[in-house]
Amino acid sequence: MSGLERPCTLEELFSAYRPGMEFLAGGTDWIIKNHGKLAPGAAVADISRIAELRGISVEGGYLRIGAMETMTALHGSDIVRRYAAALADAAYVMGSEQIRNRATVGGNVANASPAADTPAPLAALGAAVVIASPCGERRASVEEIVGRNKNSLSEGEIIKEFLIPADDGRISAFLKIGSRSQVSISRINIAVSARRENGLYKEARVYVGTLGAAARRCAGAEAALNTPNFAQKLPEELCGLAAEAIPGRSTLPYKQSALRALAQDICVLLGRRAEEAGCR
């Protein structure tokens, strides 16, 4: 490694940037990926001190979450639990307490692991990803950023923040199944955001993780939630998505079985949250 930069502002970061520079946030994924593998001439920028990448607030009708906010901060925020309960759910069940104290939401999305916990709830919540680079800023959807084990960020780009509509009329939830109840990598996860009206779920957004990508949308599940027998239709739509996403894989029967269980549980959780919010 040829050098370590520790900028305190985005201006300092991009002034010091050179092609091929690695960006280090919480480090929980980066250390594992890069330990002993960095080329002798590699340069690293520790972005953890950049104030513009932090903060949780409501501004202009959006919940703004800085990319450097940790899982612990997300779950502990009353604002996040109010407007983005699914994201708070995901943050709470990601890794150990030590990992949650270090792991950042921006890093979790940028790492683009299909088993990542935050992309599905962010996508279900309609989050916009604000991306910064030496050329300025741009916005993208979560789905545009996460791919198959690789993000779509261009050279020199970093995630600055996430903007989620601050909508009191929507409820959301996230659930996952791993190899054990805690400190576990997702084998399958699901996030739902919707409006509850007359016992049905309108304008639903449903995303599933670990089906070859971290956030795969299920339009059939969204339509099913707006039908009277959604509890029966939802599992079948999710299983159909799995069959399309990973056909022929040995894990398909397991993931379909897990999705049926998650569908039942998330319907119960959504119903409880609708009652708490006073939704019909």
Side-chain angles (χ1 to χ4, degrees):
M1 189 172 73
S2 64
L4 173 66
E5 301 288 344
R6 300 199 70 199
C8 292
T9 66
L10 285 174
E11 182 179 3
E12 288 180 8
L13 170 64
F14 295 132
S15 294
Y17 175 77
R18 55 186 183 271
M21 178 176 277
E22 296 270 355
F23 297 127
L24 173 62
T28 56
D29 288 318
W30 188 92
I31 294 295
I32 295 171
K33 274 188 172 183
N34 294 283
H35 180 64
K37 299 177 183 178
L38 287 179
V44 175
D46 175 2
I47 62 175
S48 63
R49 300 198 300 177
I50 300 177
E52 295 122 298
L53 304 182
R54 295 191 176 275
I56 299 173
S57 60
V58 176
E59 304 171 10
Y62 288 92
L63 168 61
R64 177 198 171 273
I65 299 174
M68 278 298 304
E69 290 300 322
T70 66
M71 300 301 120
T72 297
L74 294 182
H75 179 258
S77 168
D78 291 338
I79 301 175
V80 174
R81 288 199 298 271
R82 175 178 176 180
Y83 294 113
L87 183 59
D89 293 340
Y92 181 65
V93 296
M94 189 183 125
S96 66
E97 184 174 358
Q98 295 92 331
I99 291 294
R100 293 193 294 272
N101 287 340
R102 290 286 304 174
T104 66
V105 60
N108 194 237
V109 172
N111 190 49
S113 166
D117 287 328
T118 62
L122 283 166
L125 291 161
V129 187
V130 180
I131 300 158
S133 75
C135 299
E137 295 184 1
R138 68 180 180 94
R139 293 190 185 187
S141 67
V142 174
E143 304 98 298
E144 291 171 320
I145 298 301
V146 296
R148 291 178 178 266
N149 289 304
K150 190 177 188 305
N151 66 55
S152 65
L153 297 174
S154 298
E155 179 74 29
E157 289 188 327
I158 65 168
I159 297 175
K160 178 185 177 184
E161 61 197 15
F162 299 89
L163 300 176
I164 299 170
D167 187 347
D168 277 318
R170 295 184 74 86
I171 56 173
S172 66
F174 168 92
L175 289 172
K176 79 174 185 179
I177 291 178
S179 57
R180 50 193 183 273
S181 60
Q182 294 183 348
V183 196
S184 179
I185 295 174
S186 287
R187 289 190 174 179
I188 197 78
N189 65 52
I190 180 173
V192 179
S193 171
R195 297 182 188 281
R196 170 93 169 195
E197 295 179 13
N198 299 319
L200 303 180
Y201 295 97
K202 313 284 187 177
E203 301 174 31
R205 292 173 62 89
V206 179
Y207 283 81
V208 179
T210 78
L211 295 179
R216 191 179 292 274
R217 192 169 189 176
C218 187
E222 294 171 351
L225 284 168
N226 194 27
T227 61
N229 57 341
F230 62 81
Q232 288 74 45
K233 285 188 176 182
L234 181 62
E236 297 311 312
E237 293 294 342
L238 292 171
C239 289
L241 174 70
E244 293 175 8
I246 53 172
R249 284 201 192 174
S250 61
T251 57
L252 177 58
Y254 166 79
K255 295 212 172 194
Q256 288 180 317
S257 176
L259 280 169
R260 288 189 181 94
L262 283 179
Q264 294 174 356
D265 290 346
I266 209 157
C267 285
V268 173
L269 181 54
L270 286 170
R272 184 162 67 244
R273 289 187 173 165
E275 291 179 4
E276 291 170 353
C279 301
R280 294 176 294 169

